[in-house]
Amino acid sequence: ISKKHPEWNPAGYICREDVNFFRAEAVREALEAEKVEITAIEQDVVRSVTENEILSKNVEAEFERQLTFGERLADKVATFGGSWTFIGIFSAIIIIWVIVNTIALMQEPFDPYPFIVLNLVLSSLAALQAPIIIMSQNRQAERDRLRSREDYKVNLKAELEIRHLNEKMDNMVSNQWQRLLEIQQIQTEI
């Protein structure tokens, strides 16, 4: 404040809007000192400091609202495909398939011993399941990127707020030392 308004008295009064404005300026200057260019994320942080608003938000709810029906279905299929329930059901089906075709071997089985049809079914299932799981993992990676971006914003704002508090504390300590020196000088004179 003293840089822009040298006539300003630190013991004087200042409105909250002006304090927030100068705090945002200090944050912007601190960011510019560290980097030449301020990114959009950092601009959000500066804006939140200026407006004195909460920066964190629920990324999960926002991300879930954007999912299409196919993406939700892919997530459910991937979740079921990676569960013990799926493994149990799938193992039971394979065992039943092998037993039925082995017992029916005495007569005329629809899929004799090398179980070529079973191999075809397993290959088809793997071919369908793999891209669905990859789609689900890609969305999870995007969700993680959004979450880490939000974490970065919150951490940056917290760091700047801590710096601001440290400056306030340093200023208070400096004023206290000055005041103590004045009291000591008065006591010495007395």
PDB file of all heavy atoms in Angstrom, residues 70-87:
ATOM      1  N   GLY A  70     -23.306 -43.965 -22.017  1.00  0.00           N
ATOM      2  CA  GLY A  70     -22.315 -44.986 -22.395  1.00  0.00           C
ATOM      3  C   GLY A  70     -21.132 -45.019 -21.439  1.00  0.00           C
ATOM      4  O   GLY A  70     -20.617 -46.090 -21.110  1.00  0.00           O
ATOM      5  N   GLU A  71     -20.701 -43.847 -20.983  1.00  0.00           N
ATOM      6  CA  GLU A  71     -19.574 -43.790 -20.048  1.00  0.00           C
ATOM      7  C   GLU A  71     -19.958 -44.370 -18.690  1.00  0.00           C
ATOM      8  O   GLU A  71     -19.172 -45.080 -18.070  1.00  0.00           O
ATOM      9  CB  GLU A  71     -19.103 -42.348 -19.896  1.00  0.00           C
ATOM     10  CG  GLU A  71     -18.444 -41.806 -21.154  1.00  0.00           C
ATOM     11  CD  GLU A  71     -18.171 -40.326 -21.099  1.00  0.00           C
ATOM     12  OE1 GLU A  71     -18.876 -39.614 -20.361  1.00  0.00           O
ATOM     13  OE2 GLU A  71     -17.255 -39.876 -21.812  1.00  0.00           O
ATOM     14  N   ARG A  72     -21.181 -44.074 -18.255  1.00  0.00           N
ATOM     15  CA  ARG A  72     -21.645 -44.662 -16.989  1.00  0.00           C
ATOM     16  C   ARG A  72     -21.736 -46.183 -17.101  1.00  0.00           C
ATOM     17  O   ARG A  72     -21.347 -46.907 -16.188  1.00  0.00           O
ATOM     18  CB  ARG A  72     -23.016 -44.094 -16.609  1.00  0.00           C
ATOM     19  CG  ARG A  72     -23.003 -42.658 -16.198  1.00  0.00           C
ATOM     20  CD  ARG A  72     -24.423 -42.205 -15.837  1.00  0.00           C
ATOM     21  NE  ARG A  72     -24.624 -40.792 -15.995  1.00  0.00           N
ATOM     22  CZ  ARG A  72     -24.270 -39.877 -15.117  1.00  0.00           C
ATOM     23  NH1 ARG A  72     -23.702 -40.236 -14.005  1.00  0.00           N
ATOM     24  NH2 ARG A  72     -24.484 -38.601 -15.349  1.00  0.00           N
ATOM     25  N   LEU A  73     -22.261 -46.651 -18.238  1.00  0.00           N
ATOM     26  CA  LEU A  73     -22.381 -48.095 -18.462  1.00  0.00           C
ATOM     27  C   LEU A  73     -20.999 -48.745 -18.491  1.00  0.00           C
ATOM     28  O   LEU A  73     -20.794 -49.817 -17.889  1.00  0.00           O
ATOM     29  CB  LEU A  73     -23.135 -48.360 -19.768  1.00  0.00           C
ATOM     30  CG  LEU A  73     -23.384 -49.820 -20.117  1.00  0.00           C
ATOM     31  CD1 LEU A  73     -24.278 -50.476 -19.057  1.00  0.00           C
ATOM     32  CD2 LEU A  73     -24.017 -49.939 -21.484  1.00  0.00           C
ATOM     33  N   ALA A  74     -20.043 -48.102 -19.167  1.00  0.00           N
ATOM     34  CA  ALA A  74     -18.677 -48.641 -19.233  1.00  0.00           C
ATOM     35  C   ALA A  74     -18.072 -48.730 -17.833  1.00  0.00           C
ATOM     36  O   ALA A  74     -17.392 -49.715 -17.505  1.00  0.00           O
ATOM     37  CB  ALA A  74     -17.802 -47.765 -20.131  1.00  0.00           C
ATOM     38  N   ASP A  75     -18.324 -47.724 -16.995  1.00  0.00           N
ATOM     39  CA  ASP A  75     -17.802 -47.757 -15.620  1.00  0.00           C
ATOM     40  C   ASP A  75     -18.411 -48.915 -14.836  1.00  0.00           C
ATOM     41  O   ASP A  75     -17.720 -49.602 -14.086  1.00  0.00           O
ATOM     42  CB  ASP A  75     -18.080 -46.439 -14.904  1.00  0.00           C
ATOM     43  CG  ASP A  75     -17.167 -45.313 -15.380  1.00  0.00           C
ATOM     44  OD1 ASP A  75     -16.129 -45.613 -15.994  1.00  0.00           O
ATOM     45  OD2 ASP A  75     -17.509 -44.149 -15.122  1.00  0.00           O
ATOM     46  N   LYS A  76     -19.717 -49.143 -15.010  1.00  0.00           N
ATOM     47  CA  LYS A  76     -20.373 -50.250 -14.293  1.00  0.00           C
ATOM     48  C   LYS A  76     -19.859 -51.603 -14.782  1.00  0.00           C
ATOM     49  O   LYS A  76     -19.615 -52.506 -13.978  1.00  0.00           O
ATOM     50  CB  LYS A  76     -21.889 -50.151 -14.444  1.00  0.00           C
ATOM     51  CG  LYS A  76     -22.482 -48.988 -13.680  1.00  0.00           C
ATOM     52  CD  LYS A  76     -23.988 -49.006 -13.743  1.00  0.00           C
ATOM     53  CE  LYS A  76     -24.609 -47.739 -13.263  1.00  0.00           C
ATOM     54  NZ  LYS A  76     -24.587 -47.416 -11.919  1.00  0.00           N
ATOM     55  N   VAL A  77     -19.683 -51.740 -16.108  1.00  0.00           N
ATOM     56  CA  VAL A  77     -19.151 -52.995 -16.653  1.00  0.00           C
ATOM     57  C   VAL A  77     -17.732 -53.224 -16.151  1.00  0.00           C
ATOM     58  O   VAL A  77     -17.376 -54.347 -15.749  1.00  0.00           O
ATOM     59  CB  VAL A  77     -19.196 -52.981 -18.202  1.00  0.00           C
ATOM     60  CG1 VAL A  77     -18.412 -54.134 -18.791  1.00  0.00           C
ATOM     61  CG2 VAL A  77     -20.638 -53.028 -18.687  1.00  0.00           C
ATOM     62  N   ALA A  78     -16.910 -52.174 -16.150  1.00  0.00           N
ATOM     63  CA  ALA A  78     -15.526 -52.309 -15.673  1.00  0.00           C
ATOM     64  C   ALA A  78     -15.497 -52.645 -14.187  1.00  0.00           C
ATOM     65  O   ALA A  78     -14.674 -53.457 -13.743  1.00  0.00           O
ATOM     66  CB  ALA A  78     -14.750 -51.020 -15.939  1.00  0.00           C
ATOM     67  N   THR A  79     -16.401 -52.053 -13.416  1.00  0.00           N
ATOM     68  CA  THR A  79     -16.458 -52.341 -11.986  1.00  0.00           C
ATOM     69  C   THR A  79     -16.854 -53.798 -11.754  1.00  0.00           C
ATOM     70  O   THR A  79     -16.251 -54.499 -10.944  1.00  0.00           O
ATOM     71  CB  THR A  79     -17.468 -51.404 -11.289  1.00  0.00           C
ATOM     72  OG1 THR A  79     -17.037 -50.062 -11.490  1.00  0.00           O
ATOM     73  CG2 THR A  79     -17.554 -51.683  -9.802  1.00  0.00           C
ATOM     74  N   PHE A  80     -17.871 -54.267 -12.487  1.00  0.00           N
ATOM     75  CA  PHE A  80     -18.302 -55.660 -12.339  1.00  0.00           C
ATOM     76  C   PHE A  80     -17.241 -56.615 -12.866  1.00  0.00           C
ATOM     77  O   PHE A  80     -16.962 -57.647 -12.258  1.00  0.00           O
ATOM     78  CB  PHE A  80     -19.636 -55.897 -13.065  1.00  0.00           C
ATOM     79  CG  PHE A  80     -20.103 -57.313 -12.982  1.00  0.00           C
ATOM     80  CD1 PHE A  80     -20.559 -57.833 -11.785  1.00  0.00           C
ATOM     81  CD2 PHE A  80     -20.073 -58.140 -14.096  1.00  0.00           C
ATOM     82  CE1 PHE A  80     -20.982 -59.152 -11.688  1.00  0.00           C
ATOM     83  CE2 PHE A  80     -20.492 -59.458 -14.012  1.00  0.00           C
ATOM     84  CZ  PHE A  80     -20.948 -59.964 -12.810  1.00  0.00           C
ATOM     85  N   GLY A  81     -16.591 -56.257 -14.004  1.00  0.00           N
ATOM     86  CA  GLY A  81     -15.566 -57.122 -14.599  1.00  0.00           C
ATOM     87  C   GLY A  81     -14.336 -57.274 -13.718  1.00  0.00           C
ATOM     88  O   GLY A  81     -13.585 -58.241 -13.867  1.00  0.00           O
ATOM     89  N   GLY A  82     -14.135 -56.370 -12.788  1.00  0.00           N
ATOM     90  CA  GLY A  82     -12.982 -56.462 -11.897  1.00  0.00           C
ATOM     91  C   GLY A  82     -13.355 -56.879 -10.487  1.00  0.00           C
ATOM     92  O   GLY A  82     -12.633 -56.594  -9.545  1.00  0.00           O
ATOM     93  N   SER A  83     -14.485 -57.566 -10.350  1.00  0.00           N
ATOM     94  CA  SER A  83     -14.938 -57.958  -9.011  1.00  0.00           C
ATOM     95  C   SER A  83     -14.823 -59.468  -8.810  1.00  0.00           C
ATOM     96  O   SER A  83     -14.744 -60.242  -9.762  1.00  0.00           O
ATOM     97  CB  SER A  83     -16.396 -57.533  -8.818  1.00  0.00           C
ATOM     98  OG  SER A  83     -17.241 -58.303  -9.641  1.00  0.00           O
ATOM     99  N   TRP A  84     -14.850 -59.872  -7.546  1.00  0.00           N
ATOM    100  CA  TRP A  84     -14.816 -61.296  -7.215  1.00  0.00           C
ATOM    101  C   TRP A  84     -16.097 -61.983  -7.658  1.00  0.00           C
ATOM    102  O   TRP A  84     -16.085 -63.175  -7.978  1.00  0.00           O
ATOM    103  CB  TRP A  84     -14.589 -61.490  -5.717  1.00  0.00           C
ATOM    104  CG  TRP A  84     -13.157 -61.243  -5.340  1.00  0.00           C
ATOM    105  CD1 TRP A  84     -12.656 -60.183  -4.683  1.00  0.00           C
ATOM    106  CD2 TRP A  84     -12.037 -62.086  -5.646  1.00  0.00           C
ATOM    107  NE1 TRP A  84     -11.301 -60.294  -4.542  1.00  0.00           N
ATOM    108  CE2 TRP A  84     -10.883 -61.471  -5.127  1.00  0.00           C
ATOM    109  CE3 TRP A  84     -11.889 -63.300  -6.310  1.00  0.00           C
ATOM    110  CZ2 TRP A  84      -9.621 -62.008  -5.252  1.00  0.00           C
ATOM    111  CZ3 TRP A  84     -10.614 -63.848  -6.431  1.00  0.00           C
ATOM    112  CH2 TRP A  84      -9.502 -63.202  -5.899  1.00  0.00           C
ATOM    113  N   THR A  85     -17.193 -61.257  -7.687  1.00  0.00           N
ATOM    114  CA  THR A  85     -18.459 -61.828  -8.159  1.00  0.00           C
ATOM    115  C   THR A  85     -18.309 -62.273  -9.607  1.00  0.00           C
ATOM    116  O   THR A  85     -18.716 -63.383  -9.967  1.00  0.00           O
ATOM    117  CB  THR A  85     -19.587 -60.776  -8.045  1.00  0.00           C
ATOM    118  OG1 THR A  85     -19.641 -60.311  -6.702  1.00  0.00           O
ATOM    119  CG2 THR A  85     -20.920 -61.344  -8.455  1.00  0.00           C
ATOM    120  N   PHE A  86     -17.724 -61.411 -10.439  1.00  0.00           N
ATOM    121  CA  PHE A  86     -17.515 -61.767 -11.846  1.00  0.00           C
ATOM    122  C   PHE A  86     -16.609 -62.985 -11.967  1.00  0.00           C
ATOM    123  O   PHE A  86     -16.885 -63.909 -12.739  1.00  0.00           O
ATOM    124  CB  PHE A  86     -16.904 -60.588 -12.608  1.00  0.00           C
ATOM    125  CG  PHE A  86     -16.505 -60.929 -14.013  1.00  0.00           C
ATOM    126  CD1 PHE A  86     -17.459 -61.048 -15.015  1.00  0.00           C
ATOM    127  CD2 PHE A  86     -15.176 -61.159 -14.334  1.00  0.00           C
ATOM    128  CE1 PHE A  86     -17.091 -61.374 -16.308  1.00  0.00           C
ATOM    129  CE2 PHE A  86     -14.800 -61.495 -15.621  1.00  0.00           C
ATOM    130  CZ  PHE A  86     -15.765 -61.603 -16.619  1.00  0.00           C
ATOM    131  N   ILE A  87     -15.530 -62.981 -11.206  1.00  0.00           N
ATOM    132  CA  ILE A  87     -14.589 -64.115 -11.270  1.00  0.00           C
ATOM    133  C   ILE A  87     -15.287 -65.405 -10.863  1.00  0.00           C
ATOM    134  O   ILE A  87     -15.111 -66.446 -11.499  1.00  0.00           O
ATOM    135  CB  ILE A  87     -13.351 -63.833 -10.388  1.00  0.00           C
ATOM    136  CG1 ILE A  87     -12.538 -62.692 -10.990  1.00  0.00           C
ATOM    137  CG2 ILE A  87     -12.491 -65.080 -10.218  1.00  0.00           C
ATOM    138  CD1 ILE A  87     -11.416 -62.185 -10.112  1.00  0.00           C
TER     139      ILE A  87
END
